Amino acid sequence: MLGSLFGWVSLLFEPLAFQVPLIEPQPRLKSENGIAIPVQGPWQDIITGHYAVPPVLKIHDRNSVVKWSWQREDVTQPLPPLIRSGLYSGYNDATDMKWMRGGRSVAAVYSALVVVINHTPDRPSTDKKITFALNRANDVLHNAHTIEPLPGDRLAVGTTGQRPWDGILVYNMSEALPIVDKPPVLQKIEGLRAIHALIWDEQGQMLWATGTDAAADGSDPIPAYGVIQGYPFDAETGLLSIDEAYRFRFPEYYDIDTEWGCGYSWWAGPHDLVPVPNERVLLVSNDIGLHAFDIDEMNFTAEYDEVVEKYMPGFEVTTNDRHGINRQGEYVELPQSDLKGFSLAPDGSFLYTQSLWRLFRGNYTSLVVDGVRHQIMKGNEIYRSRWFGDIDGWPKPKT
Ligand SMILES: *[C@@H]1O[C@H](CO)[C@@H](O)[C@H](O)[C@H]1NC(C)=O
Ligand SMILES: *[C@@H]1O[C@H](CO)[C@@H](O)[C@H](O)[C@H]1NC(C)=O
Ligand SMILES: *[C@@H]1O[C@H](CO)[C@@H](O)[C@H](O)[C@H]1NC(C)=O
């Protein structure tokens, strides 16, 4: 790993090296690979969570022009007390947000809630209404980082906790149901800690999650490894199942002393789990850097600079202070550290958010087009931005 990272050191101290490299089409997009660029042209719609009190969800274009936004002042409908108090909490979170129902709805972790909201700008009477809500200010859900729609109007929520019973809760998010203080849990999946990302795999009929095998905060007497796990979905019963054959541990565990100081208790945990458009490949980021996981091979197939070369050419470190001493006393550069969110469009462009070093969020989003990085949504405190659309090869459930 160190070897592959040394290439970055020269970049850091050689300002000219930051200038735009030769623009080459990404290898996977070359015509001989037969991957079609979508007819509607380059992808434009992006959804970004802006941390603040209150937080704001924003749908905007590549030039940061906001077309639609949502925050608690937009809510006029009556709400049950626990949902209302979650909406008006002091939480500044806009942690995750997902395109769903063909773009008619947005699912999000917002303030102290998990919400599903209408996105019908052409129909003001329904636009921005909450159709499902869950208060997460409790022992189980307070740290929930991620949501994902499942078939049959089900919503999966990662609990993002440290205990063996942490994992995924599944809810009925049908628009036909009234909003209630405590929506019943349809299914509880235990055994994956610190889940930070979920992604539905339509082709494989599986929910993929990334988390850790032991407590990421160091409260277990063993180091925590990053894990990618697939949970097969049974359309007949509507239930996910646990099958150890689909549990894949990262090749190594890592301390994060380089960033957080000598003897820091937390282990490196996965941050985001993202599909490569039109390929059976998932990319996963953690506190150290990027890994690629091939679903057909059922194995990790690339790491660090290889992932950037293959899938994210034009990725650049966003601050020049990402280096320090690890637990073994070695000096390391971590240019790919803390990619809290990233998202790849079928047209080859991609987004990423790298938190500021020793902080939890960034203050803009990077957009890379044809190998050139642009800063967008500057000045917003951001954990994640995602393309607002159905990623080719990775459609969200139809119902
Ligand atoms: C969810 O609620 C809707 C509306 O009541 C109902 O038709 C559907 O069967 C429910 N789904 C599950 C999985 O319980
Ligand atoms: C998974 O990949 C690693 C190298 O990345 C290799 O050593 C290992 O043999 C592979 N395992 C399988 C089951 O293919
Ligand atoms: C983001 O924060 C860093 C560190 O405080 C600062 O140097 C930079 O100018 C900020 N950028 C934006 C776009 O606000």
Side-chain angles (χ1 to χ4, degrees):
M1 175 186 93
L2 280 184
S4 74
L5 294 182
F6 270 124
W8 289 92
V9 179
S10 62
L11 276 183
L12 287 178
F13 301 111
E14 221 179 302
L16 277 181
F18 268 117
Q19 280 175 9
V20 183
L22 278 182
I23 300 173
E24 294 255 18
Q26 291 183 35
R28 62 187 189 83
L29 293 176
K30 283 183 178 155
S31 54
E32 63 264 30
N33 291 331
I35 292 174
I37 301 289
V39 282
Q40 67 272 24
W43 278 43
Q44 281 296 340
D45 288 355
I46 299 164
I47 186 163
T48 293
H50 179 175
Y51 271 67
V53 179
V56 191
L57 306 176
K58 299 179 182 180
I59 297 178
H60 54 91
D61 66 12
R62 293 180 170 201
N63 298 311
S64 313
V65 176
V66 178
K67 306 172 179 183
W68 184 91
S69 69
W70 189 88
Q71 53 126 317
R72 64 194 181 196
E73 308 302 335
D74 292 319
V75 179
T76 52
Q77 73 205 93
L79 293 171
L82 200 55
I83 302 303
R84 195 176 165 76
S85 75
L87 186 64
Y88 282 90
S89 81
Y91 288 35
N92 63 349
D93 305 84
T95 316
D96 205 356
M97 46 273 145
K98 296 276 177 81
W99 184 98
M100 52 177 270
R101 293 187 180 129
R104 260 195 322 111
S105 302
V106 173
V109 178
Y110 176 94
S111 188
L113 297 179
V114 167
V115 280
V116 178
I117 318 150
N118 285 336
H119 172 250
T120 59
D122 49 337
R123 272 189 70 194
S125 62
T126 54
D127 195 27
K128 305 196 183 195
K129 264 187 78 173
I130 298 175
T131 59
F132 172 83
L134 172 68
N135 187 308
R136 62 186 185 94
N138 55 56
D139 287 348
V140 178
L141 283 169
H142 67 94
N143 198 34
H145 269 58
T146 185
I147 67 275
E148 179 73 355
L150 298 178
D153 260 339
R154 295 172 173 86
L155 184 70
V157 179
T159 66
T160 323
Q162 304 298 338
R163 307 279 39 107
W165 52 85
D166 272 298
I168 299 164
L169 300 180
V170 181
Y171 295 89
N172 187 343
M173 63 168 169
S174 166
E175 294 161 289
L177 293 172
I179 295 172
V180 294
D181 271 338
K182 295 194 170 172
V185 175
L186 290 177
Q187 190 179 8
K188 185 174 187 208
I189 294 275
E190 300 187 348
L192 191 56
R193 331 276 184 104
I195 293 180
H196 276 60
L198 297 170
I199 184 83
W200 170 247
D201 175 0
E202 176 72 22
Q203 187 177 325
Q205 291 288 298
M206 240 187 233
L207 177 68
W208 291 93
T210 192
T212 53
D213 63 346
D217 65 2
S219 57
D220 283 340
I222 48 166
Y225 284 75
V227 169
I228 293 178
Q229 185 154 2
Y231 299 95
F233 180 78
D234 182 333
E236 207 91 321
T237 61
L239 297 173
L240 299 166
S241 59
I242 298 179
D243 182 341
E244 292 300 321
Y246 298 111
R247 187 173 168 104
F248 304 95
R249 218 161 72 149
F250 273 53
E252 296 166 68
Y253 66 85
Y254 314 88
D255 68 75
I256 48 175
D257 291 14
T258 307
E259 180 164 3
W260 298 100
C262 184
Y264 194 73
S265 68
W266 287 70
W267 302 101
H271 290 309
D272 209 355
L273 180 69
V274 170
V276 176
N278 293 308
E279 292 187 31
R280 300 292 294 151
V281 175
L282 294 167
L283 305 184
V284 57
S285 61
N286 69 6
D287 295 284
I288 307 294
L290 289 157
H291 291 258
F293 180 83
D294 187 300
I295 292 176
D296 294 331
E297 288 186 35
M298 291 283 166
N299 203 356
F300 292 94
T301 49
E303 55 181 24
Y304 309 116
D305 290 356
E306 289 172 296
V307 178
V308 165
E309 274 163 37
K310 231 168 147 177
Y311 303 105
M312 295 167 69
F315 169 87
E316 290 178 330
V317 61
T318 59
T319 64
N320 63 9
D321 50 1
R322 314 190 86 88
H323 50 77
I325 306 296
N326 68 10
R327 197 164 290 178
Q328 290 71 47
E330 300 155 338
Y331 175 81
V332 282
E333 294 280 345
L334 297 174
Q336 297 179 1
S337 51
D338 305 322
L339 295 177
K340 303 293 183 156
F342 61 110
S343 188
L344 277 60
D347 66 11
S349 54
F350 63 93
L351 303 162
Y352 63 94
T353 314
Q354 187 169 39
S355 67
L356 291 162
W357 186 244
R358 298 199 177 109
L359 291 174
F360 298 113
R361 290 171 288 275
N363 53 9
Y364 65 88
T365 290
S366 290
L367 161 68
V368 179
V369 182
D370 291 332
V372 182
R373 185 169 77 99
H374 310 266
Q375 297 183 13
I376 60 171
M377 302 310 275
K378 287 197 291 203
N380 287 193
E381 187 179 347
I382 302 169
Y383 184 73
R384 279 172 178 157
S385 287
R386 299 190 186 285
W387 294 105
F388 193 66
D390 225 4
I391 301 296
D392 299 38
W394 289 86
K396 295 291 184 222
K398 293 289 176 279
T399 59

